[in-house]
Amino acid sequence: MVNKISFSGFYLIKFPKSCPDSKIKEKRDLLNKHIKDNNYIYMDTLLRKGIEPQNSNQSTTDILLLTNIDNPMQTYDALSVVDRRLADQYIDKTKVYLNLDTIA
């Protein structure tokens, strides 16, 4: 039997190159307030500047969301504060399809 397992998460929130650093900081502040207001004590954020982008269309500033306990409902909730489409991307990337081929 498996019990008492938890996972942690690292989520890089990337922004378009056209997004000013002040807007990214504002989004981080909103995210931090949401984390504090909801007592997500295992979540934290870092505003990172001067980060080499993955592609030329991305800002060199991003937000790193860190979790000690990866609770999908709360991670989705927190990411939706930044942008609902971002939270939907999280679901798309973390979902697992379970298919039953036969019925016992």
Side-chain angles (χ1 to χ4, degrees), residues 53-68:
Q54 293 172 305
N55 63 56
S56 60
N57 296 328
Q58 289 178 333
S59 172
T60 58
T61 300
D62 64 22
I63 299 170
L64 176 60
L65 173 64
L66 305 137
T67 66
N68 291 330

Side-chain angles (χ1 to χ4, degrees), residues 12-74:
L12 286 172
I13 303 170
K14 306 302 263 181
F15 293 85
K17 190 175 196 173
S18 61
C19 187
D21 286 358
S22 60
K23 181 72 170 177
I24 298 170
K25 183 183 180 311
E26 179 183 309
K27 292 288 188 177
R28 185 209 178 206
D29 291 345
L30 284 172
L31 181 56
N32 278 344
K33 181 181 181 328
H34 187 77
I35 288 168
K36 182 179 179 185
D37 290 350
N38 287 280
N39 203 29
Y40 295 160
I41 59 173
Y42 51 85
M43 287 186 184
D44 199 7
T45 67
L46 292 173
L47 182 67
R48 303 180 333 143
K49 294 184 177 189
I51 302 300
E52 186 173 332
Q54 293 172 305
N55 63 56
S56 60
N57 296 328
Q58 289 178 333
S59 172
T60 58
T61 300
D62 64 22
I63 299 170
L64 176 60
L65 173 64
L66 305 137
T67 66
N68 291 330
I69 299 169
D70 199 13
N71 180 319
M73 286 183 68
Q74 293 172 354

